[in-house]
Amino acid sequence: MSLSSTRREARERAVELLYEADSKSVHPEDVVAGLPIRPDAYALELAFGVADHQTEIDHVLDRYANRWPVKRMAAMDRMVLRLGVLELATQLDVPPGVCLSEAVELGGRYGSTDDTPKFVNGILARVAEEVRDGDRPWMPIEVVVFDMDGVIRHWTAQAIGAFQDAHDLPPDAVGSIAFSEPLYSDAMCGRLTAEEWAAEIGRRLAEAHDGVDADAGRQMWLETEWRIDDEVVAIVSALRDAGQRVAVFSNATTKLEVDMGTMGIHELFHDICNSSLIGLMKPDVASFEHVADEVLGVAPERLLFIDDRHENVVGALDAGWHAVQMRSAAGIAAVLRRLQVPGAPDPT
């Protein structure tokens, strides 16, 4: 059997996996885990790749199919187009003409109408111009930029929970104050220091709930603990050891750099971009533009951003960055391998 026919079958299997995963609202890995026979490696690479990069893929498609956005497309049309974008952007050994012709054939086989092949060809031809010959290739990546909270650091709720239990407060008593606006934005954009934010949280807790001491509330917030994702830190270390530039861009307080020193990871990153120091926070497009131009000095299309929040990923994409949403350390490693980032961990 020739490579071309094998890959054609792999593409068909990938579309089927993507459709099943989409209908169940799960990652294709979850679908594969329940199969008696593991599909072809190229089928898995395509299916997993589409899922890992779906936000950016849909962002691309919506720019070229603005009269028929992705969310309005028939499910199978959407899967075929997503696969086509992924293959064009990341499988550089496959000629763009082959990517297009194979996607058109898939559109004819699985598409919702007789016009699907033409629709697929029209969109993917423009995508090919962008990612293969234009100014928006997905690689090489010059800087990998990590979010801090939710990616490298995960906050625990033990101190908050204990405080609420001790004062017989509702489960959202602390969070509803700490993350209320404009208080939260003031802390993240540096209009309040970390200590001032904590003091205001304590003051408002005491004002809203009898028996709560403002200073105790302040101290509780300052003592909130976290855990480090050692697997993600290991990935960052591997990238740096391979000569890859790595950075942090975090919505954070004025304590971020001190906290990173406590974690022992401050020296791991070439650049630390703290929203409270630049006065701009994610997902504001202006924040990403500032970081690219004024802090990193790198063209946006050479930046890869990894964040746990969908809206922040979209903000980065709107600013011209490449971006993916954090799923797991293994998922990050797969993305880095796919984009040929030096130091990307080998699959385990």
Side-chain angles (χ1 to χ4, degrees):
M1 184 179 293
S2 68
L3 178 62
S4 60
S5 62
T6 302
R7 286 198 164 182
R8 179 170 295 125
E9 293 173 358
R11 293 182 186 96
E12 293 175 0
R13 189 70 181 103
V15 168
E16 294 167 354
L17 291 171
L18 287 167
Y19 179 78
E20 183 174 353
D22 185 72
S23 65
K24 296 178 178 178
S25 298
V26 299
H27 193 280
E29 284 184 351
D30 297 323
V31 175
V32 172
L35 297 177
I37 300 176
R38 192 171 177 84
D40 174 86
Y42 195 64
L44 297 181
E45 171 60 23
L46 293 178
F48 294 174
V50 166
D52 290 343
H53 297 266
Q54 183 174 307
T55 303
E56 180 161 9
I57 290 170
D58 287 357
H59 193 269
V60 171
L61 288 172
D62 278 337
R63 283 193 282 109
Y64 290 116
N66 52 10
R67 294 185 179 180
W68 202 262
V70 174
K71 64 183 180 180
R72 293 183 56 199
M73 293 178 185
M76 290 304 286
D77 295 359
R78 190 165 61 235
M79 303 310 146
V80 170
L81 281 166
R82 285 173 174 168
L83 187 147
V85 173
L86 188 281
E87 194 166 32
L88 282 166
T90 67
Q91 303 300 314
L92 303 186
D93 62 319
V94 183
V98 173
C99 294
L100 262 64
S101 64
E102 291 292 319
V104 168
E105 182 171 330
L106 286 171
R109 183 169 305 167
Y110 294 103
S112 60
T113 72
D114 292 341
D115 291 331
T116 296
K118 182 179 179 181
F119 178 63
V120 167
N121 186 69
I123 293 175
L124 292 184
R126 285 177 286 172
V127 173
E129 291 177 359
E130 174 183 304
V131 302
R132 288 293 181 99
D133 301 316
D135 59 0
R136 285 283 301 158
W138 286 25
M139 58 190 85
I141 297 296
E142 290 188 25
V143 188
V144 181
V145 185
F146 293 82
D147 174 41
M148 175 58 65
D149 296 319
V151 176
I152 294 169
R153 170 173 65 177
H154 303 276
W155 292 92
T156 65
Q158 293 176 347
I160 295 173
F163 181 87
Q164 291 177 156
D165 290 344
H167 294 84
D168 197 25
L169 302 180
D172 65 341
V174 174
S176 63
I177 290 174
F179 301 112
S180 63
E181 292 293 355
L183 182 60
Y184 177 69
S185 294
D186 285 345
M188 295 302 105
C189 290
R191 293 185 288 271
L192 293 174
T193 66
E195 291 75 14
E196 289 169 338
W197 186 31
E200 182 62 15
I201 292 169
R203 187 192 70 78
R204 294 190 187 188
L205 281 168
E207 184 179 78
H209 302 283
D210 293 338
V212 174
D213 177 73
D215 189 62
R218 177 190 66 84
Q219 195 62 29
M220 171 273 300
W221 189 253
L222 289 175
E223 292 177 353
T224 301
E225 298 177 341
W226 63 77
R227 66 174 180 84
I228 300 300
D229 193 319
D230 292 329
E231 291 182 303
V232 176
V233 170
I235 290 172
V236 178
S237 297
L239 298 183
R240 180 164 182 133
D241 290 345
Q244 174 65 47
R245 187 176 171 187
V246 289
V248 162
F249 178 28
S250 179
N251 284 350
T253 71
T254 53
K255 282 180 79 266
L256 175 63
E257 287 75 8
V258 172
D259 287 349
M260 291 180 67
T262 301
M263 299 177 214
I265 62 172
H266 188 278
E267 301 301 322
L268 189 58
F269 296 92
H270 296 90
D271 310 274
I272 299 173
C273 312
N274 181 344
S275 66
S276 66
L277 299 185
I278 66 175
L280 295 164
M281 63 183 288
K282 304 172 294 185
D284 187 350
V285 170
S287 72
F288 290 100
E289 293 174 340
H290 176 88
V291 169
D293 295 340
E294 304 299 329
V295 181
L296 302 177
V298 174
E301 66 272 11
R302 292 289 179 257
L303 300 172
L304 172 65
F305 183 55
I306 300 167
D307 197 289
D308 64 310
R309 300 183 68 88
H310 176 79
E311 62 268 28
N312 293 339
V313 171
V314 172
L317 294 171
D318 286 343
W321 296 32
H322 301 292
V324 294
Q325 189 168 353
M326 165 78 170
R327 178 172 56 87
S328 64
I332 290 176
V335 165
L336 296 171
R337 288 193 298 272
R338 196 171 293 118
L339 298 182
Q340 301 179 21
V341 175
D346 294 330
T348 55

